[in-house]
Amino acid sequence: DTVIAIDGVAKQYKRDGRSTTALRDVSLSVSSGEFVTVVGPSGCGKTTLLRLVSGLESPTDGDITVAGKPVQGPDPNRGTVFQEYHLFPWLTVRENVAFGLVEQGVPAAERQERVQELLYVIGLSDFADAYPKELSGGMKQRVGLARALAVDPDILLLDEPFGSVDMQTRRQLQRELLEIWRGTDKTVLFVTHDIEEAVALSDRIVIMSGTPGRVRATVSVAESRPRN
Ligand code: ADP
Ligand code: ADP
């Protein structure tokens, strides 16, 4: 069944009297539990597409529904990680990861347990009380991922979440993400300009290009990976 349905979507930005059409007639659907990656050159509207699905922007035309409901603003059930970490610099690693749980009113003891577990998964238990500025790029990206995962979202929207790390760290983070995804039934919409990363991770690859960006092809990754 379809979890994310994008139907005939266009997006036009207007700024200083100039307008840019970032997307035109984009349609795409993602099934429950599927890992779909959108690839394409810089400027083809990948980030815009993810911002629309996350509810940070509204489409100029067309419809986007998630779990059957039109997207209206951000929702923690769509865990979102953007390329820049967007960690809160005044909060520790522990507090950053706990943020969504505090908002949801999860009791302190349960919160602590959940955060502890996630810090272990991302290998940063020893950095719970550190501040973002004390962390490397790769560590910050892991914290961003942990913060999105904390509220156990059904859907993960990931925009180049491993964008600013070296190749070795990138491959490691990819493995960690796959491990997390295999252990759950989460639906993932992932954006990257790295074809190799797309092939390594996804069930299906959506290729976009142009300005305005359009979907040019959709490719199933033949070798399906084992799932728990
Ligand atoms: P990608 O993620 O594939 O690099 P983007 O979605 O960031 O593509 O950008 C698509 C197009 O929309 C580009 O031409 C970009 O300059 C433009 N754009 C993106 N965000 C804005 C914005 N907030 N205001 C105006 N134009 C924007
Ligand atoms: P980047 O490539 O962005 O610098 P890395 O994740 O590769 O980020 O980390 C860079 C530095 O941080 C390395 O010296 C690495 O040993 C250290 N580091 C990363 N993760 C951990 C961790 N879980 N515990 C201790 N040190 C870490």
Side-chain angles (χ1 to χ4, degrees):
D1 46 344
T2 300
V3 171
I4 301 171
I6 300 167
D7 189 21
V9 161
K11 175 65 182 177
Q12 194 165 25
Y13 290 108
K14 290 203 176 71
R15 198 160 55 182
D16 308 330
R18 295 198 319 139
S19 85
T20 309
T21 304
L23 297 172
R24 177 173 294 161
D25 195 25
V26 171
S27 298
L28 162 67
S29 64
V30 184
S31 303
S32 177
E34 202 178 14
F35 196 128
V36 172
T37 300
V38 177
V39 297
S42 180
C44 73
K46 303 183 297 297
T47 294
T48 297
L49 188 65
L50 221 67
R51 289 175 64 83
L52 293 173
V53 177
S54 74
L56 292 168
E57 301 268 5
S58 308
T60 311
D61 204 2
D63 298 298
I64 301 180
T65 61
V66 172
K69 292 195 204 103
V71 170
Q72 285 168 328
D75 177 338
N77 191 40
R78 299 191 296 274
T80 307
V81 182
F82 285 102
Q83 177 164 13
E84 328 79 59
Y85 329 105
H86 293 306
L87 300 179
F88 302 113
W90 59 88
L91 299 180
T92 63
V93 165
R94 187 200 306 282
E95 290 163 345
N96 264 285
V97 175
F99 186 80
L101 298 172
V102 174
E103 285 215 309
Q104 287 188 343
V106 173
E110 193 183 325
R111 211 162 67 210
Q112 221 163 4
E113 193 180 337
R114 177 92 181 119
V115 170
Q116 209 92 318
E117 184 188 308
L118 277 163
L119 290 179
Y120 177 75
V121 168
I122 60 166
L124 291 180
S125 301
D126 293 344
F127 291 82
D129 298 311
Y131 285 88
K133 67 173 189 308
E134 303 169 59
L135 306 180
S136 72
M139 292 157 90
K140 279 188 277 204
Q141 292 196 306
R142 283 188 211 138
V143 176
L145 190 59
R147 189 177 57 180
L149 287 168
V151 297
D152 199 19
D154 293 331
I155 298 159
L156 277 174
L157 304 173
L158 307 173
D159 184 2
E160 301 260 6
F162 314 137
S164 54
V165 293
D166 58 87
M167 201 46 77
Q168 194 185 338
T169 308
R170 196 178 175 104
R171 297 290 172 240
Q172 190 190 331
L173 290 170
Q174 287 170 6
R175 279 195 298 274
E176 287 168 12
L177 175 63
L178 270 184
E179 206 125 299
I180 288 164
W181 173 70
R182 282 184 186 133
T184 64
D185 50 7
K186 292 189 195 307
T187 304
V188 182
L189 186 57
F190 190 95
V191 160
T192 183
H193 62 266
D194 178 353
I195 288 270
E196 220 182 306
E197 178 164 272
V199 172
L201 293 174
S202 6
D203 292 320
R204 201 148 54 87
I205 299 173
V206 174
I207 300 165
M208 289 183 65
S209 70
T211 309
R214 307 190 59 166
V215 174
R216 304 296 165 170
T218 302
V219 183
S220 289
V221 178
E223 203 179 322
S224 68
R225 280 161 290 99
R227 301 280 301 268
N228 291 341

